[in-house]
Amino acid sequence: RKSGALLCGRGGEAFAMAEPLVAPELVTPPLGLVALLGRPELHPALREHLRSQLRPPLESVGVGDLAEATSVLTRRKRNGPSAAPPPAPVNPLIPPVAPVGIGPAQIPAQGATEGSGSSNPSDGTDAPRRGLLRADWTRKHRERRPAVALAFLPHEEVEGDPNAWVSLTRRIDALRDAAAGAGCALALVVVGDDAPERLPEDRVAALTRQARIDRSALVSMPQPPTPDAMRAVGALCANLAKAYYVGECARHAAKTLPGRIEAAEPGFKAGIFSEFHGDWGGAWRMYKTAYDGLVAAHVA
């Protein structure tokens, strides 16, 4: 706030008036998100561990019942291979220019595409997007797009009778599908009073095969949790979250076209995903790529 007062003059009145216009998620570093599924009594201690013991810290959302996993694992909507590429973002710095012979009334709105129809949301059509990022894009990834789905499984069912195992496999199938639909990594934690530090090899093989996960994404946690078990779960979340955000950053970085307006949107997104996993140098480079694209388009 001192810097705002210095920039805005006496008392920083202008800064104080403008400050509410800036969304909080745009002025604080983004933290990765983990979805905690099942065993709600474990959530407070694990949430505190993820926040205080990891660098960078992780935030979490949770549901107490595995059957409610889809309430926090929202299915993603991505263009398939055959889908048409999205239109190039509109440069907010350059107003539309009317071609010769076309009057101002015939100039399409920025962001509108041929055949897009009305931009009035009340008529049931999608309004054209203006700018580079949707207003809630950053908040969505901070609060509603987990990088990791961490599911707690009861030990008595993991090593129980065949009927218990059949019921458990159905829930694992549902968790696997929910995580795949949300585009996040799935990890399993076997929890119970008698849960061993190392699960029997046959149970490890069966669980990882059913969930289609790597062996490193399966851990055991006795009750009450030991410090070593808590650290193992925290390290698992950190590793999977970093892999997720590194992958998302690379996916968007591959779409950038340096020196062109098309670099702006994927460049900004790649920069934000770099911040999610603490790569500040990479974030700066991607933001510069996005900025250079805007400047080049404005100069041109």
Side-chain angles (χ1 to χ4, degrees), residues 13-32:
E13 292 89 352
F15 178 80
M17 293 175 62
E19 189 175 25
L21 300 179
V22 181
E25 65 269 17
L26 299 180
V27 295
T28 57
L31 299 180

Side-chain angles (χ1 to χ4, degrees), residues 1-296:
R1 184 169 296 277
K2 284 185 178 180
S3 61
L6 292 173
L7 289 172
C8 298
R10 185 179 59 187
E13 292 89 352
F15 178 80
M17 293 175 62
E19 189 175 25
L21 300 179
V22 181
E25 65 269 17
L26 299 180
V27 295
T28 57
L31 299 180
L33 189 63
V34 176
L36 307 178
L37 311 175
R39 299 300 292 259
E41 71 277 8
L42 299 176
H43 294 188
L46 186 55
R47 182 175 292 115
E48 178 61 25
H49 182 86
L50 296 177
R51 286 175 176 171
S52 63
Q53 301 301 314
L54 299 184
R55 292 295 179 270
L58 293 173
E59 286 289 355
S60 62
V61 293
V63 292
D65 190 342
L66 294 179
E68 299 174 0
T70 53
S71 66
V72 293
L73 301 180
T74 308
R75 180 171 290 276
R76 305 188 70 165
K77 297 179 181 179
R78 285 182 176 172
N79 291 332
S82 60
V90 176
N91 187 348
L93 303 178
I94 304 176
V97 179
V100 177
I102 298 182
Q106 296 172 280
I107 303 174
Q110 286 194 5
T113 58
E114 182 178 357
S116 61
S118 170
S119 63
N120 184 2
S122 63
D123 66 5
T125 60
D126 292 332
R129 183 180 60 173
R130 299 176 66 88
L132 298 174
L133 301 179
R134 296 185 185 278
D136 68 338
W137 187 88
T138 302
R139 175 175 293 182
K140 176 183 70 175
H141 284 275
R142 291 176 65 139
E143 301 177 359
R144 305 192 302 275
R145 287 292 189 200
V148 182
L150 189 72
F152 297 98
L153 305 180
H155 175 251
E156 59 270 19
E157 293 187 19
V158 170
E159 297 200 53
D161 59 53
N163 290 333
W165 175 252
V166 169
S167 175
L168 181 63
T169 58
R170 290 173 180 164
R171 281 186 283 171
I172 292 175
D173 289 345
L175 290 169
R176 183 192 65 223
D177 293 343
C184 66
L186 175 63
L188 303 179
V189 182
V190 177
V191 179
D193 295 338
D194 300 324
E197 291 186 4
R198 292 180 177 273
L199 293 169
E201 181 60 27
D202 62 327
R203 294 295 88 186
V204 171
L207 287 170
T208 54
R209 182 173 59 251
Q210 194 72 31
R212 298 176 190 170
I213 59 175
D214 189 79
R215 287 170 175 254
S216 62
L218 171 64
V219 296
S220 179
M221 175 184 283
Q223 295 299 298
T226 64
D228 286 344
M230 192 67 76
R231 282 191 290 268
V233 174
L236 172 59
C237 292
N239 292 336
L240 292 178
K242 181 175 182 177
Y244 171 86
Y245 291 119
V246 167
E248 288 295 286
C249 175
R251 185 171 69 86
H252 288 286
K255 300 177 183 179
T256 59
L257 298 173
R260 296 178 58 181
I261 182 63
E262 288 81 4
E265 178 184 358
F268 279 121
K269 288 182 176 180
I272 293 171
F273 281 124
S274 294
E275 288 195 57
F276 268 111
H277 67 91
D279 181 9
W280 308 112
W284 181 87
R285 288 190 294 272
M286 295 314 306
Y287 289 145
K288 186 177 185 302
T289 298
Y291 177 78
D292 289 346
L294 290 176
V295 171

